[in-house]
Amino acid sequence: MAGHTPSQKKIEGSDYNGVVRVDQEEGLHSSALPNDVFGREDDHEIKYKTLSWPLTAVLMITEIISNGMLSLPSSLDAVGLVPGVIVIAFLGAFATFTAWLLVEFKLRHPEVHNMGDAGNILFGPVGREILSAGTVIFAVCSAGSQILAGQLALTVLSDAKLCATAFSGIFTVAVAICSFPRVLHDLSLVWIIGGISIISAGIVAMVGAGAVPVDPGNIVIARSSDFTSAFISLTNPVFAYAGHFVFFIFISEMRNPKDAMKAAWTLQIVATSFYIAFAVVTYWYIGKGVSSPSLLSLSTLWSKISFGLAIPNFFIAGSLNLHTAAKLVFVRLFRQSRHIHSHTFTGWGVWTLLVLLVNTVAFLFAVGIPIFNYLVGIAASMFAAWYAYGLAGAFWLHDTYHYRGGYSGWFKRPIMFTLNIFTVLAGGFICIGGLYATIYSLREAANAGELPPPFQC
């Protein structure tokens, strides 16, 4: 299998069915290995590896269960209740499997801090640059999407009494403040607030839909449609799980990376069950024609309450995306230098510049590009489809080839080999299908004159 063979100690342990054991005779924890991202931190001023697995789980929930959830009821309306629920449940199970593959890969390669580092192992320097750039682009686009969600929420709450661009600017300031701390643990309080925020907003929205129903029970069990329409609708649940691109960065700051799968299990159980409950209940009570986001279909009072509760999650999730983008570049510039772990003028100066830069770009993209929503779809198709799905299979294929006997290592494990080939192909299918559907939608919107002007009020 083509790619760069990582220069690290030989891996010992199980047949990749559990957490890998690394150099047990030396008593080294994986996070203390010489090639670990942050190394030993006992005597450092700034310590990164401070996250417990429950906090990591909360972080993942806050980052992934966000405004994308609000489009799921409309996806059920487009394809039907039963197919929609099946897709959400399947993608939840699939995302759990790929999360496990990512965690295992990270434990075998403690030097991996982000998707760019993983790309270097698989494809060499070119892969590193492509996957690093993709991570930054997708993180900025995701944050821009959160800024627009915050803008919509503030517009609804104020009855549009202020220019939408002004609301976006106000929201971007909040995002920038939350993305500024260099250590993820320093954001632990706001993560908890963000996680509670979106769960509460979803519960209140379901209560509001039931209290003031629009067209209860008028739903479609299954709807036949052409490929393009169906795929466009299904991109909502596909990318509702597309937070895997941040997993390596999160795990790198855990006290015990071996516990990462506990956090991933917690995330996927909470996300999948909540997605299904929210989509089904909301769709049932609102009925056909439910809006995207679905909060717009609620009565005015319940819509305002739900949006108000969701606002903290929008800017906190946006800040996590931009923190991820800034952290990738920062670690790339200063890895193994004193600026990583010390309060130096250069370190803090560069960090501040990066945070301001990514926040400014996210704001300008969100309010200044008329096709920004389509740009997010293109970025998600090009990168998130691979980060959340396809690349996980490539990680297993790579390491099994290099550490388990080459091609024979693949064929001795036919079930895992088949599953991981399917994972790679699924990533490619989502990527190509998503690009086609997004570009088709963009063309149709342009032909219909539906694209909004930049910096609109």
Side-chain angles (χ1 to χ4, degrees):
M1 181 176 179
H4 172 66
T5 304
S7 57
Q8 65 177 75
K9 296 185 178 182
K10 183 178 179 180
I11 294 177
E12 302 174 357
S14 65
D15 188 21
Y16 297 161
N17 292 321
V19 175
V20 177
R21 301 185 299 275
V22 183
D23 261 350
Q24 290 183 343
E25 293 182 0
E26 296 183 21
L28 292 179
H29 185 280
S30 63
S31 65
L33 290 174
N35 59 344
D36 178 71
V37 178
F38 298 113
R40 294 184 180 274
E41 296 187 313
D42 297 342
D43 300 322
H44 291 304
E45 294 177 309
I46 301 175
K47 296 179 175 64
Y48 294 89
K49 295 183 292 185
T50 52
L51 292 177
S52 63
W53 77 260
L55 270 181
T56 306
V58 173
L59 186 157
M60 291 176 174
I61 289 170
T62 301
E63 198 274 336
I64 291 176
I65 304 179
S66 191
N67 66 328
M69 175 191 76
L70 305 180
S71 298
L72 295 179
S74 66
S75 294
L76 264 58
D77 186 38
V79 300
L81 179 69
V82 173
V85 170
I86 291 173
V87 168
I88 294 173
F90 170 76
L91 289 173
F94 192 21
T96 304
F97 174 66
T98 57
W100 175 73
L101 294 173
L102 292 177
V103 170
E104 290 290 284
F105 185 80
K106 168 63 179 176
L107 294 176
R108 292 191 291 271
H109 302 275
E111 74 276 16
V112 169
H113 175 255
N114 53 67
M115 282 292 177
D117 293 339
N120 187 51
I121 291 174
L122 263 64
F123 310 115
V126 174
R128 180 181 191 180
E129 301 306 327
I130 292 174
L131 295 187
S132 293
T135 300
V136 173
I137 292 170
F138 183 63
V140 170
C141 287
S142 296
S145 180
Q146 298 289 0
I147 289 172
L148 289 181
Q151 169 196 300
L152 177 61
L154 293 175
T155 300
V156 169
L157 289 171
S158 68
D159 295 320
K161 291 181 180 178
L162 193 64
C163 175
T165 300
F167 280 136
S168 297
I170 293 170
F171 206 79
T172 303
V173 172
V175 172
I177 292 172
C178 285
S179 59
F180 188 76
R182 272 169 58 177
V183 179
L184 283 172
H185 190 275
D186 293 342
L187 292 165
S188 56
L189 177 60
V190 296
W191 303 341
I192 296 172
I193 294 173
I196 294 173
S197 164
I198 194 63
I199 298 295
S200 300
I203 292 173
V204 168
M206 288 188 283
V207 172
V212 187
V214 177
D215 193 7
N218 185 16
I219 62 171
V220 178
I221 299 301
R223 189 194 300 273
S224 61
S225 60
D226 59 273
F227 171 81
T228 302
S229 300
F231 201 95
I232 290 172
S233 301
L234 293 177
T235 54
N236 293 324
V238 165
F239 296 124
Y241 291 101
H244 289 39
F245 76 105
V246 298
F247 278 14
F248 290 149
I249 291 178
F250 291 172
I251 297 171
S252 295
E253 298 194 27
M254 291 184 67
R255 283 198 300 265
N256 185 1
K258 292 180 181 179
D259 289 336
M261 200 56 213
K262 296 178 183 178
W265 271 111
T266 304
L267 162 69
Q268 300 302 344
I269 291 171
V270 172
T272 303
S273 57
F274 194 69
Y275 283 168
I276 292 174
F278 178 81
V280 171
V281 172
T282 305
Y283 181 39
W284 175 268
Y285 283 110
I286 293 177
K288 293 181 181 179
V290 58
S291 300
S292 178
S294 59
L295 301 188
L296 295 176
S297 292
L298 301 176
S299 67
T300 302
L301 176 61
W302 286 103
S303 179
K304 288 185 176 182
I305 294 173
S306 301
F307 269 122
L309 289 171
I311 282 178
N313 174 267
F314 294 161
F315 71 77
I316 292 168
S319 70
L320 285 172
N321 284 312
L322 293 180
H323 178 99
T324 296
K327 182 69 73 65
L328 183 153
V329 178
F330 185 78
V331 172
R332 175 77 177 270
L333 291 173
F334 295 123
R335 187 184 291 226
Q336 296 183 347
S337 76
R338 65 190 182 94
H339 302 298
I340 287 284
H341 287 102
S342 300
H343 294 292
T344 64
F345 177 80
T346 299
W348 276 108
V350 170
W351 176 254
T352 301
L353 179 63
L354 289 172
V355 169
L356 293 176
L357 178 62
V358 293
N359 275 274
T360 301
V361 172
F363 169 75
L364 293 176
F365 276 20
V367 302
I369 300 179
I371 62 170
F372 177 72
N373 284 328
Y374 299 97
L375 184 63
V376 173
I378 291 172
S381 300
M382 290 182 63
F383 300 112
W386 292 106
Y387 296 154
Y389 304 105
L391 281 176
F395 294 153
W396 185 90
L397 293 170
H398 174 275
D399 280 2
T400 301
Y401 176 88
H402 285 290
Y403 297 123
R404 296 292 181 182
Y407 296 113
S408 64
W410 291 351
F411 302 129
K412 288 178 182 177
R413 300 163 180 82
I415 295 177
M416 283 297 293
F417 176 71
T418 302
L419 286 173
N420 284 282
I421 289 294
F422 169 79
T423 300
V424 174
L425 294 176
F429 173 74
I430 295 170
C431 174
I432 296 171
L435 282 174
Y436 173 79
T438 303
I439 294 172
Y440 176 86
S441 299
L442 173 59
R443 187 188 67 182
E444 292 297 302
N447 291 338
E450 297 174 351
L451 297 180
F455 302 102
Q456 65 173 336
C457 283

